[in-house]
Amino acid sequence: MHKRDESLKKIFSQRLKKLEELPQIDENKSISSILDEEGISRRDFMKWAGAMTAFLGLSSTFTPTVAKAAKLADRLPVIWLHMAECTGCSESLIRTATPTIDSLIFDYISLDYHETIMAAAGWQAEENLENSIKKYKGRYIMMTEGGIPTGNGGNFLTIGGHGKTGEDIVRDTAEGAAAIFAIGTCSSFGGIQAANPNPTSAMPLSKVINKPVINVPGCPPSAKNIVGTLLHFILFGTLPALDAFNRPKWAYGHRIHDLCYRRGHFDAGEFVEQFGDENAKNGYCLYKVGCKGPYTFNNCGTQRFNQHTSWPIQAGHGCIGCSEPDFWDTMGPYEEPVADHLYESVFGGLGADATADKIGAGLLTVTAIGIAAHAAISTVKKPKE
Amino acid sequence: MSLSVTKEIIEKIEGEAQLELEWQNGKVKNSKVKFFSYRGMEEIIQGRHPLDALVLTPRVCGICGHAQLMATVHALEDVYRNCGIKLELSQKAKALRDLTLDCEIIQNHLKWYFFIILPILYRFEGKIFPKDKTFKALNAAVKANKIIATFAGQWPHNSYMIPGGVVCDPTYVEVYQAKSYIDEVISFFEEEIVKSDIESIIHMKNMKDLLQNDGFLKESIEIMQSNDLSHLGKSHDRFIAFGENSIFERGKAIKTVAKGVHQRYIKEESLDFTYAKNVTYNGKFYEVGPLARAMIASNPLAKSLHRAYKDSVLNRIILKVMEIAYLAYQVRETLQSIDISEKSFIKPKVKIETLESEGDGFTEAARGSLYHSIKVKEGKIEFYNIITPTQWNLGNATKEDELSTISQALKGLKNENEISLIFRSFDECSVCTTH
């Protein structure tokens, strides 16, 4: 462990040194000055850095390095594109008046182009995009929200006064990007518009461009996953360890099932038989009312949503598998367990015995059988009226 | 008689639209609104399990997804009703559904007012809107979202409503948490928008009452009056609302208020130059949204302002801002009277897969009436149609004699600032409209 830390430290300090040499995006402002402006004390900032360090799976000795990297985020411009989407990803990331530090940093680096929240509009906005791409060529981070419609020559989505198709915009923007992130399930996997029969031939970002794309899926994705991915790029300077679906392993390496606070009930065979029953009131496992937690890789149970307020399972509804590819077609019906389907028919015939690392289908092996067994055990318990 | 046509791209309406303006003698004569994006949601929903619609329709939109969920659950419950099966909903389930939807509307209006409208109004005065106030408003909006997350799990996109009730089982801890959040929203309104107490605010009856207290609302009114904007943006003076939730009533208002509206008179029409469909009632264009809702509910303030300003941009803005107060107050009242010992969910006696029927679901989303209609057969969705509020407000005229709601409102305007204000006072959402 110690040796690994040593080599990581070396990588980081080299990387940070390189970043320090780059000019700031805005001469008059740095992240440090903005933090001062907003009244964020150094202590609060270090607390946040500590949490982020743990979140990224690094030992606590890296906290100062993470803090420094976060401050260097002002050297990396971000261009955020909207494709065929609902804007839920941006809404999810929204900032607050006492900004969470993630959103504050993001606010600063989300500079020149973000269709929903930028100040510019009309021709000026399109000019800004073209100028940013030129000015920061090779340095900017491209973040995309939304699937790319490719049907009808790409004309199911045109943006701006020139009527450029979404497809062309992502291709052109990708050329000069230092890193490309697909934010949300739509951009990562095609999303809801790609669900059968996919009327507009919507595609994931990675299928439309031929540069490496990091997928940060979820519908919506957790704000922390988005910012953490950015921070990871700053630190490593290369793509983080990714799973078979190009999702960062530090965020998507565990199943919802593995991190779920109701897991004890699953293991004890205590299930909600129907919504609103006594078992639901006791917070039992939601597998039998359709929770797809065992088949879904994400960290919702720990990071939660809306500033750690809650997440679907805490509110009593099972996971719908929204960070998995094609979940619109494979995870439904959402209030019925997958065990009720034929295993062979799931995931294009690959069945229940594959894992995300092997061939990309996200089901468990032994646990898949165990789930069915658990469910069978509890059928003898009748729900109370 | 000089006629020219200009094209503008309007962005930041959860997507974008192209506005084609026909000018004559320096004033707007006619306009066309064109949307150039499409996803095909109605086709995608077809063929799936009926309950899957609950998960699919919120993804039509990231800012009003909760309203989509409400409309879907109403449509599904209507399917039961049309099969003669009476579904029971506890008061608690109804109350939770209503209050979370109210919160979605509150957060939408706050963002609209502080991100879009106030900055435009300040521009008329040559000023830049202070960023710290925008963030403060955003904080209030985020608190409203937290109320939703407390009961529904997350916002955007949750699935906590199903036919028969809701899936959550809150304790008083959640209720108190939610109360503290709505108190923060109310405090924000009292400190920044109308500097008074909420009880007085919701009982204000006329312009005089509004102008008695400082705050952003008074400032907005004064900017509009001193820049001769108060009488601009009038449309057909026809209002309609189909949803009945919380404080909203169903009906239409043309000179007088009529309560009987029926969906059979709603007609949707495709056009060849835009992905958005027109929608009319009895062949006519109507306005939906907060102003419409206030007129139909015979809100005293709305009626008093209407006498002087009809359906101008001034009234549209005032009533939308005031709706924040009305709803926040209602949310607080609901939280105070909710009985958590009631059941959250009462299981329907029959499974929806066994039913074959249709259902209509209405609700009032932030921007106006939302209408879902569904047909189920043999455990599958045979047909699903969505009509969104922006479709009502942003139609395109197809006959010579009548302009659409937005075109009538834009008629006679002289410059980009006026157009921007009047257009955005309708608070459009492009992703919903094209779905």
Side-chain angles (χ1 to χ4, degrees):
Chain A
M1 212 35 197
H2 197 262
K3 256 210 185 136
R4 176 176 165 266
D5 281 0
E6 288 280 315
S7 64
L8 274 178
K9 268 222 169 91
K10 238 180 137 197
I11 298 175
F12 292 167
S13 40
Q14 279 174 347
R15 169 79 183 156
L16 290 177
K17 201 154 166 273
K18 257 193 176 161
L19 277 175
E20 261 177 320
E21 288 162 13
L22 292 173
Q24 268 176 250
I25 296 171
D26 184 338
E27 258 92 58
N28 301 318
K29 277 201 168 133
S30 63
I31 298 249
S32 319
S33 70
I34 291 189
L35 291 174
D36 284 337
E37 246 176 61
E38 301 291 338
I40 308 261
S41 70
R42 174 165 172 76
R43 195 150 164 255
D44 284 336
F45 181 67
M46 290 314 288
K47 268 202 267 178
W48 172 87
M52 256 297 163
T53 308
F55 181 53
L56 290 172
L58 298 165
S59 83
S60 55
T61 55
F62 283 96
T63 304
T65 317
V66 171
K68 190 168 184 192
K71 286 198 173 172
L72 283 175
D74 63 5
R75 266 73 165 182
L76 295 173
V78 169
I79 291 179
W80 183 297
L81 299 176
H82 288 53
M83 293 292 126
E85 39 79 358
C86 77
T87 315
C89 293
S90 290
E91 292 283 349
S92 172
L93 188 62
I94 208 101
R95 25 238 59 118
T96 64
T98 40
T100 55
I101 300 172
D102 341 332
S103 49
L104 181 74
I105 292 175
F106 204 77
D107 187 19
Y108 182 79
I109 61 179
S110 252
L111 248 202
D112 295 334
Y113 198 80
H114 185 300
E115 280 169 31
T116 309
I117 58 178
M118 62 189 173
W123 302 102
Q124 190 193 7
E126 303 315 313
E127 247 178 41
N128 279 353
L129 175 61
E130 285 161 20
N131 288 344
S132 298
I133 292 178
K134 271 199 213 114
K135 183 172 170 194
Y136 300 117
K137 193 174 172 102
R139 281 175 54 199
Y140 59 83
I141 295 177
M142 172 175 154
M143 301 181 97
T144 313
E145 164 182 11
I148 324 291
T150 58
N152 195 23
N155 284 309
F156 282 117
L157 175 65
T158 58
I159 301 177
H162 298 290
K164 218 168 163 187
T165 65
E167 227 185 309
D168 286 338
I169 292 175
V170 293
R171 284 213 183 95
D172 290 347
T173 311
E175 255 188 64
I180 302 171
F181 301 142
I183 304 297
T185 300
C186 290
S187 188
S188 303
F189 302 126
I192 184 170
Q193 48 274 335
N196 190 36
N198 199 346
T200 60
S201 295
M203 293 281 153
L205 180 62
S206 52
K207 291 234 162 69
V208 175
I209 58 179
N210 51 20
K211 286 177 84 168
V213 174
I214 304 176
N215 293 325
V216 187
C219 184
S222 142
K224 279 243 149 56
N225 287 359
I226 300 174
V227 177
T229 302
L230 196 59
L231 208 56
H232 215 272
F233 177 72
I234 292 169
L235 287 176
F236 285 90
T238 54
L239 301 183
L242 303 172
D243 71 1
F245 291 123
N246 275 6
R247 300 177 295 200
K249 271 189 175 164
W250 59 264
Y252 298 88
H254 293 287
R255 296 170 191 94
I256 299 285
H257 191 56
D258 300 329
L259 303 171
C260 184
Y261 77 108
R262 299 192 181 197
R263 178 61 184 272
H265 292 295
F266 168 88
D267 291 339
E270 294 164 340
F271 296 101
V272 170
E273 301 291 337
Q274 69 187 42
F275 294 118
D277 67 6
E278 279 303 308
N279 293 354
K281 290 187 186 176
N282 286 330
Y284 284 3
C285 174
L286 296 164
Y287 176 77
K288 297 185 81 186
V289 285
C291 180
K292 305 304 186 296
Y295 321 113
T296 307
F297 291 80
N298 208 337
N299 54 12
C300 314
T302 48
Q303 290 308 311
R304 306 200 284 181
F305 292 93
N306 300 88
Q307 296 93 46
H308 294 283
T309 299
S310 188
W311 61 301
I313 285 167
Q314 186 176 333
H317 191 283
C319 166
I320 62 170
C322 75
S323 48
E324 298 303 304
D326 303 320
F327 82 95
W328 294 113
D329 294 330
T330 56
M331 300 284 191
Y334 300 100
E335 275 95 26
E336 280 172 32
V338 170
D340 285 2
H341 299 192
L342 293 171
Y343 278 131
E344 296 78 53
S345 65
V346 178
F347 294 105
L350 293 172
D353 291 336
T355 64
D357 274 342
K358 277 196 200 151
I359 45 177
L363 288 189
L364 307 173
T365 50
V366 178
T367 317
I369 306 160
I371 290 167
H374 268 110
I377 290 170
S378 75
T379 52
V380 298
K381 299 182 188 169
K382 289 290 174 205
K384 293 199 190 118
E385 279 306 295
Chain B
M1 170 148 134
S2 56
L3 207 66
S4 65
V5 173
T6 58
K7 291 187 187 180
E8 309 287 331
I9 296 282
I10 309 255
E11 292 160 344
K12 297 188 291 188
I13 46 174
E14 299 273 321
E16 60 171 45
Q18 185 188 77
L19 185 59
E20 200 178 276
L21 300 163
E22 217 178 277
W23 298 83
Q24 190 174 58
N25 299 329
K27 292 194 187 161
V28 175
K29 185 175 171 218
N30 202 349
S31 52
K32 278 202 179 102
V33 185
K34 303 180 181 181
F35 289 98
F36 295 126
S37 63
Y38 177 72
R39 288 175 292 161
M41 300 303 230
E42 288 152 335
E43 295 169 61
I44 288 165
I45 294 177
Q46 260 181 44
R48 294 173 192 265
H49 188 281
L51 294 183
D52 284 2
L54 293 164
V55 171
L56 290 160
T57 61
R59 271 81 186 176
V60 167
C61 183
I63 198 169
C64 73
H66 209 62
Q68 305 281 359
L69 176 65
M70 182 76 112
T72 303
V73 82
H74 282 164
L76 290 168
E77 286 170 348
D78 199 38
V79 168
Y80 279 97
R81 199 173 298 122
N82 289 336
C83 290
I85 300 162
K86 193 173 174 300
L87 280 186
E88 261 184 83
L89 275 171
S90 69
Q91 280 302 105
K92 172 177 136 194
K94 281 194 218 148
L96 284 173
R97 285 182 182 182
D98 268 357
L99 79 87
T100 53
L101 183 54
D102 289 349
C103 287
E104 185 179 75
I105 299 176
I106 289 169
Q107 61 89 37
N108 175 76
H109 291 0
L110 284 170
K111 289 173 187 168
W112 162 88
Y113 192 42
F114 281 85
F115 280 20
I116 297 184
I117 297 297
L118 281 169
I120 294 180
L121 288 174
Y122 266 53
R123 225 177 288 150
F124 276 99
E125 303 281 295
K127 296 193 287 194
I128 293 182
F129 191 72
K131 197 171 78 169
D132 63 308
K133 295 295 181 187
T134 307
F135 280 141
K136 211 174 164 204
L138 189 44
N139 187 39
V142 165
K143 292 295 183 303
N145 286 339
K146 279 183 93 133
I147 296 175
I148 304 175
T150 302
F151 296 112
Q154 66 183 30
W155 186 91
H157 301 331
N158 50 67
S159 318
Y160 93 123
M161 298 184 202
I162 44 169
V166 293
V167 304
C168 65
D169 243 305
T171 64
Y172 277 119
V173 172
E174 279 80 37
V175 173
Y176 285 141
Q177 243 170 10
K179 263 199 228 168
S180 82
Y181 296 144
I182 199 67
D183 281 341
E184 284 188 62
V185 174
I186 291 175
S187 297
F188 173 77
F189 198 98
E190 291 171 335
E191 277 161 24
E192 300 289 346
I193 303 182
V194 179
K195 293 193 207 252
S196 177
D197 65 289
I198 193 78
E199 293 275 354
S200 313
I201 292 170
I202 63 171
H203 289 113
M204 288 183 176
K205 286 195 176 41
N206 49 45
M207 184 63 92
K208 187 158 151 272
D209 289 347
L210 291 180
L211 292 175
Q212 241 168 25
N213 304 93
D214 285 342
F216 282 114
L217 187 58
K218 179 174 173 196
E219 213 181 320
S220 305
I221 296 170
E222 286 172 345
I223 293 177
M224 284 189 267
Q225 283 175 334
S226 63
N227 284 280
D228 286 325
L229 305 169
S230 319
H231 290 276
L232 297 181
K234 291 183 190 164
S235 187
H236 297 301
D237 208 16
R238 282 200 295 256
F239 308 105
I240 203 162
F242 284 89
E244 268 177 330
N245 31 295
S246 207
I247 58 175
F248 305 133
E249 294 171 30
R250 196 175 144 115
K252 67 182 199 290
I254 317 167
K255 300 204 196 313
T256 56
V257 181
K259 295 296 180 175
V261 285
H262 197 280
Q263 54 267 34
R264 72 171 88 97
Y265 300 113
I266 298 178
K267 189 167 149 238
E268 230 187 339
E269 200 185 337
S270 290
L271 302 163
D272 58 6
F273 54 82
T274 171
Y275 281 120
K277 294 187 233 173
N278 262 3
V279 62
T280 51
Y281 185 81
N282 249 341
K284 297 216 175 289
F285 291 103
Y286 279 75
E287 177 174 343
V288 297
L291 178 58
R293 298 194 270 252
M295 292 300 295
I296 291 164
S298 304
N299 176 302
L301 176 65
K303 290 177 87 172
S304 157
L305 292 172
H306 186 261
R307 275 193 274 277
Y309 300 100
K310 294 269 176 292
D311 57 341
S312 75
V313 64
L314 179 80
N315 283 357
R316 202 164 284 126
I317 290 176
I318 292 176
L319 266 317
K320 190 159 180 139
V321 173
M322 290 299 280
E323 202 176 67
I324 300 172
Y326 302 143
L327 289 173
Y329 185 80
Q330 178 66 36
V331 168
R332 193 169 70 180
E333 293 293 290
T334 306
L335 285 168
Q336 263 153 6
S337 62
I338 205 166
D339 180 3
I340 58 159
S341 67
E342 287 182 35
K343 283 185 161 209
S344 298
F345 173 72
I346 298 170
K347 188 171 173 163
K349 296 192 174 50
V350 171
K351 287 191 130 194
I352 199 162
E353 295 95 316
T354 61
L355 300 179
E356 181 175 327
S357 186
E358 359 186 291
D360 288 324
F362 300 99
T363 193
E364 286 301 308
R367 293 166 173 78
S369 295
L370 180 60
Y371 172 33
H372 286 199
S373 53
I374 186 174
K375 275 202 183 94
V376 297
K377 185 174 173 180
E378 288 165 14
K380 286 204 184 14
I381 297 173
E382 207 180 49
F383 169 83
Y384 205 97
N385 194 43
I386 299 172
I387 299 182
T388 64
T390 301
Q391 280 181 261
W392 287 94
N393 287 338
L394 251 55
N396 286 293
T398 47
K399 298 184 288 205
E400 277 298 317
D401 54 345
E402 179 168 282
L403 297 177
S404 66
T405 306
I406 186 70
S407 298
Q408 186 66 36
L410 291 176
K411 190 172 171 182
L413 296 183
K414 300 188 291 290
N415 59 53
E416 191 185 294
N417 281 341
E418 288 177 1
I419 292 168
S420 191
L421 181 67
I422 274 77
F423 190 87
R424 292 185 188 281
S425 69
F426 283 94
D427 188 13
E428 294 75 9
C429 172
S430 121
V431 293
C432 260
T433 300
T434 53
H435 58 267

